Amino acid sequence: HEQVRLEPAEVERALAAPTRALLERGQREGRLRQDHPVEWLMEALGGLLRAALRHSAAADLGVEAAAAAVITLFLDGAAAR
């Protein structure tokens, strides 16, 4: 697999800034918990994304399934359903 290396400024512009804005809006509107700072939520989401990238190929998950798993785990936690 070929790895793509992005400049930190490009990652900030294309991914981190819009994600941070979305999380800030979610907190402001009361849709996301406010007991943790946005940067902590960013780190948590980033960890889930990294794990999904590592494990989705091994589990033969498609992009949509991996994305859905990350979002539901981030928003709902790991509690049984």
Side-chain angles (χ1 to χ4, degrees):
H1 297 270
E2 183 180 333
Q3 289 189 350
V4 176
R5 298 276 182 201
L6 298 175
E7 294 296 321
E10 180 63 15
V11 172
E12 175 63 28
R13 184 195 65 73
L15 183 62
T19 302
R20 188 178 298 104
L22 182 65
L23 294 173
E24 287 170 346
R25 188 177 86 204
Q27 282 186 329
R28 207 173 34 253
E29 294 176 355
R31 296 175 185 268
L32 293 176
R33 53 191 298 170
Q34 297 176 2
D35 58 335
H36 296 295
V38 167
E39 289 306 316
W40 191 93
L41 296 176
M42 292 277 294
E43 288 290 327
L45 181 57
L48 289 171
L49 288 169
R50 286 187 292 279
L53 287 172
R54 278 195 311 272
H55 298 289
S56 62
D60 199 27
L61 285 178
V63 173
E64 292 82 11
V70 167
I71 295 304
T72 57
L73 189 56
F74 181 74
L75 293 176
D76 301 333
R81 296 176 179 250

